[in-house]
Amino acid sequence: SYFEALFLNHPLAVVIANEDGVIRRINERFASLFGFSSGECLGVKIDELIAPGEVFKEAVGFTEKVAGGDRLDAECSRRKKDGTWIDVQIAAISFPGAGEERVVYAIYQDITERKRLEEHARYLGHHDSLTGLYNQAFLEEEIQRLDTPRQLPISVIMADLDNLKLINDSFGHIEGDRMIIESGNILISSCRREDIVARCGGDEFILLLPQTTLLEARSICDRIRQGCERERGSLIPPSIALGVAVKDDVTQDFMHIRKKADDNMYLDKLLRSDRSREAIFKRILDTLESDRRRMTHIDRLTKLAVIFGGSLALRQNEIEDLSLLGRFHDIGLMPAPAEIICKEGPLD
């Protein structure tokens, strides 16, 4: 009676089958989990019922193992009556039944949600939360895996987003984050499926390119620059400094190659940083001056600032600073939609 009560009221799905896997009994939890009634299950082989297709052979092996006297504790996928698949943990044993036949007693626990959470945790452990690209930890693992003679030549591209601090200070971190995401998308779209693209800092990215020559890596750099050019219509176009180096000999130290790529990236940044800042300032001016009503307001405020500075007997350079302040004082409103800026009446 204890055994019967345990079988009927068990919180997990339980099935009793013979040594060939033919179902003798199921409890209510098994019926609710897989969607089969007791009548649909009795006399049917458990593996044919919930383990068709590619997993059938594995399931039959599990049944034979348990029927032979071994214990089973396994995680696998099983199909429900409606055709959907769930992840289950199976714990099974067998014991002597009537005559010489052995009885298989199996417990199924639905672990689909646990698997989903585990997969999500693995994803977070290997990916950057902002961009969805790989992170530094995953990159280091991949370097260990790919740094082999079979993968030579291995090219490394160091990428650094220009003037992120200026963008954050001028337009806020939301715009800076948007720029980081946009730059990550450009990098991933410029690479091949087998390449590794990782974000390794606030504005730093590393591209790991196995079986890639220096010429091929430079071609990818060209595609990245072209991707940045295509975004010139955005509020602040992305600008990415790039440096590339290649390991083509097994005796070379990979960290030395990475340092060389980093040095080349900083050289590129020095050569282009002034142009990048100039482009940002030009875009700021173009945006501010494109609104006639805003420009009228800016001109009026700038004149008042200059008059006020003269009344205070400020030095000429201080008056020039006041004029500059008047010209750019509305910079924080640039990302705001025009319908908000120009709305009549109070904002809700």
Side-chain angles (χ1 to χ4, degrees):
S1 62
Y2 287 145
F3 178 81
E4 182 70 8
L6 177 62
F7 172 76
L8 293 176
N9 300 297
H10 202 295
L12 301 179
V14 182
V15 60
I16 298 176
N18 66 15
E19 57 190 1
D20 294 325
V22 177
I23 298 174
R24 296 289 181 81
R25 295 185 66 185
I26 63 170
N27 67 355
E28 290 186 9
R29 181 60 186 143
F30 184 94
S32 64
L33 177 61
F34 289 102
F36 294 101
S37 66
S38 180
E40 292 173 308
C41 295
L42 298 184
V44 179
K45 288 190 174 184
I46 182 67
D47 301 322
E48 294 177 353
L49 187 70
I50 63 174
E54 295 181 358
V55 300
F56 179 73
K57 186 176 180 180
E58 176 195 58
V60 170
F62 286 165
T63 302
E64 292 175 348
K65 176 182 178 181
V66 176
D70 292 335
R71 292 177 176 269
L72 176 68
D73 188 357
E75 295 181 0
C76 50
S77 296
R78 292 294 181 262
R79 192 180 70 173
K80 300 168 65 173
K81 182 179 178 179
D82 61 9
T84 60
W85 289 80
I86 58 174
D87 293 313
V88 294
Q89 182 171 12
I90 308 173
I93 60 171
S94 65
F95 50 86
E100 298 181 357
E101 185 181 49
R102 293 189 68 85
V103 177
V104 174
Y105 187 91
I107 301 174
Y108 293 80
Q109 181 178 4
D110 184 0
I111 58 171
T112 303
E113 181 63 15
R114 193 194 83 192
K115 284 289 189 180
R116 186 189 68 80
L117 293 175
E118 289 175 353
E119 184 63 30
H120 184 61
R122 278 194 294 270
Y123 180 87
L124 293 179
H126 287 161
H127 291 78
D128 172 59
S129 58
L130 178 63
T131 62
L133 300 177
Y134 291 118
N135 59 16
Q136 177 76 33
F138 180 81
L139 178 71
E140 297 300 332
E141 292 179 8
E142 287 299 287
I143 289 175
Q144 296 295 323
R145 184 180 68 86
L146 295 174
D147 191 11
T148 63
R150 188 171 62 88
Q151 298 294 343
L152 295 180
I154 303 176
S155 290
V156 179
I157 297 177
M158 303 295 294
D160 191 279
L161 183 58
D162 290 327
N163 299 309
L164 179 62
K165 185 178 185 304
L166 175 60
I167 294 169
N168 283 332
D169 292 345
S170 301
F171 303 101
H173 285 272
I174 292 178
E175 180 65 21
D177 287 349
R178 186 200 65 78
M179 181 70 69
I180 293 171
I181 295 171
E182 186 176 338
S183 299
N185 291 336
I186 291 173
L187 294 175
I188 200 71
S189 64
S190 302
C191 292
R192 305 157 302 185
R193 181 175 298 180
E194 62 271 21
D195 298 332
I196 306 297
V197 182
R199 182 186 177 207
C200 299
D203 53 3
E204 297 177 357
F205 302 85
I206 299 180
L207 286 65
L208 192 61
L209 317 174
Q211 299 180 7
T212 305
T213 65
L214 182 61
L215 184 62
E216 291 169 330
R218 286 172 174 167
S219 177
I220 290 175
C221 289
D222 290 339
R223 290 204 295 268
I224 294 171
R225 294 187 179 101
Q226 292 167 6
C228 292
E229 289 293 330
R230 286 193 294 269
E231 300 297 330
R232 290 299 171 188
S234 58
L235 178 63
I236 299 297
S239 175
I240 304 175
L242 300 168
V244 61
V246 61
K247 175 177 178 176
D248 50 15
D249 189 286
V250 70
T251 61
Q252 292 174 304
D253 181 11
F254 189 86
M255 295 307 298
H256 176 74
I257 301 299
R258 184 169 169 175
K259 176 66 167 54
K260 184 178 179 181
D262 201 46
D263 292 342
N264 290 335
M265 181 272 294
Y266 277 108
L267 178 60
D268 185 49
K269 181 176 282 290
L270 286 173
L271 294 174
R272 58 189 288 113
S273 59
D274 288 342
R275 296 197 303 271
S276 174
R277 281 195 293 271
E278 184 180 344
I280 293 176
F281 286 127
K282 185 178 185 305
R283 183 54 57 92
I284 292 172
L285 285 174
D286 291 345
T287 304
L288 290 174
E289 295 173 357
S290 63
D291 187 331
R292 182 175 300 176
R293 180 163 31 180
R294 179 183 284 166
M295 274 306 300
T296 301
H297 163 67
I298 289 173
D299 289 341
R300 184 170 61 250
L301 185 68
T302 302
K303 290 176 182 177
L304 284 171
V306 171
I307 293 172
F308 185 62
S311 299
L312 295 176
L314 297 181
R315 295 190 298 272
Q316 181 60 34
N317 67 311
E318 294 175 316
I319 292 178
E320 290 174 356
D321 286 345
L322 274 178
S323 177
L324 195 63
L325 174 64
R327 189 177 184 186
F328 288 103
H329 79 281
D330 267 345
I331 188 174
L333 298 178
M334 286 179 56
E339 58 268 22
I340 297 296
I341 300 298
C342 302
K343 179 181 178 181
E344 301 197 1
L347 294 172
D348 57 27

